[in-house]
Amino acid sequence: MPTVPTAGVAMTAIGVAVIRMWESERADRLYDDPLARAFVDAARPSFASGEPERWGRVEALAEKFFEGRTMAVRVVDDGVAAAVAGGCAQVVILGAGLDTRAYRMALPSTVTVFELDLPELFAFKEPVLAAVGAIPICVRHAVVADLRDEWPGALVANGFSAEVPTVWVDEGVLGYLSRSAAVRVVERLTEWSAPGSVFDIGRFDADSQADRYDELRTLVRGERAEPARGGLGPDVEDLLAGLGWDTRFEDWGGLVEAIGRPSAPSEPGIGMIRAVRRA
């Protein structure tokens, strides 16, 4: 039986798998992720036999963030597909969690997906994938690394090439890091980005984003969490421009309107920063 991550950031990956499972069960689903149920089914018994009330908190977390999170999955899917169609042959998923894009998206077989996360995450994920006989559509590498350390070396050891345009995916992991650590991640990935590489980053009100992470931690742990004020901060576009990226901002309302599912209105300035590495 795989070891279920029940603490820290890795724990939130279970909640996101619940969200993807629920979305996949809808008749109007935005994407289909059959592996999400395998992760949920593998995780649930550990909670039932230990602290059953914590599984209730996982589902409460998933329900609270369902609307925004499930549409964000689709927005990122569309961004990855567009970047690959535009010439990016590598996909690096930072803090991959239980991501399954290498299995569920119609990516060309020549594309390589690098999933980067902590060892306890893969200690759960890989046995579940093996148990159901999951086969990736493209090349996939599970890269054990900590974003607070010198993670590019782990990518290179798994075949990553700085000469190949890459699409970098961050679905929120940078928000868990201190500001200095998050900025360092962006500096390092810039060093390893060939011209034409793509980096999509969600832009949120800094205080609202911090409150969201605080509430998420509280739901998972069942206790008050210390306030978190990390991530890239409000000047991310200036940071990227200074590092050699061309950026454009896409409003969240326009992004979800293109998807075609009604959504609660967002605050002004909330959306996605699309960045492309200059030559």
Side-chain angles (χ1 to χ4, degrees):
M1 187 173 183
T3 303
V4 181
T6 58
V9 176
M11 170 66 183
T12 66
I14 303 295
V16 177
V18 172
I19 288 172
R20 296 204 311 270
M21 180 184 72
W22 288 345
E23 180 65 43
S24 299
E25 293 171 347
R26 293 176 59 131
D28 64 341
R29 57 183 172 267
L30 301 176
Y31 51 84
D32 188 17
D33 185 359
L35 292 173
R37 176 170 289 280
F39 293 131
V40 173
D41 288 346
R44 188 187 289 112
S46 290
F47 292 87
S49 62
E51 301 175 84
E53 72 281 357
R54 294 193 74 198
W55 185 255
R57 291 200 293 271
V58 172
E59 292 191 327
L61 177 154
E63 184 174 359
K64 184 171 185 63
F65 295 113
F66 177 80
E67 179 185 290
R69 191 68 188 83
T70 196
M71 285 192 287
V73 171
R74 173 58 185 272
V75 167
V76 173
D77 281 359
D78 291 346
V80 169
V84 168
C88 289
Q90 296 178 144
V91 181
V92 177
I93 304 175
L94 303 171
L98 300 177
D99 188 276
T100 59
R101 289 188 172 92
Y103 297 88
R104 64 176 178 81
M105 285 187 66
L107 296 172
S109 60
T110 52
V111 166
T112 301
V113 173
F114 300 89
E115 298 178 8
L116 193 155
D117 215 317
L118 300 170
E120 58 265 33
L121 192 288
F122 289 119
F124 170 72
K125 184 175 187 176
E126 300 308 294
V128 174
L129 292 172
V132 298
I135 300 175
I137 294 169
C138 57
V139 181
R140 171 188 178 261
H141 295 288
V143 181
V144 176
D146 190 324
L147 290 173
R148 296 165 296 186
D149 295 331
E150 291 301 307
W151 51 270
L155 276 180
V156 173
N158 280 273
F160 178 86
S161 172
E163 305 301 316
V164 177
T166 300
V167 51
W168 302 88
V169 177
D170 165 39
E171 290 191 88
V173 69
L174 295 183
Y176 288 98
L177 302 179
S178 67
R179 187 156 298 177
S180 61
V183 169
R184 182 58 177 158
V185 169
V186 175
E187 291 172 342
R188 295 308 312 276
L189 71 82
T190 298
E191 295 170 7
W192 291 88
S193 292
S197 293
V198 175
F199 186 25
D200 288 351
I201 306 172
R203 188 171 77 183
F204 306 95
D205 173 77
D207 290 334
S208 296
Q209 186 178 30
D211 290 343
R212 170 174 160 238
Y213 283 114
D214 294 344
E215 189 167 8
L216 185 151
R217 289 186 176 98
T218 301
L219 280 168
V220 170
R221 297 175 181 171
E223 58 188 23
R224 293 289 299 175
E226 290 299 318
R229 295 295 186 270
L232 294 172
D235 301 323
V236 58
E237 288 168 284
D238 291 338
L239 169 68
L240 290 168
L243 290 173
W245 298 83
D246 291 324
T247 67
R248 76 178 190 276
F249 174 72
E250 295 187 17
D251 178 79
W252 182 252
L255 290 169
V256 299
E257 183 179 1
I259 292 173
R261 178 179 293 176
S263 172
S266 65
E267 296 294 324
I270 304 303
M272 185 74 72
I273 298 168
R274 309 283 197 185
V276 178
R277 187 79 165 97
R278 293 194 292 269

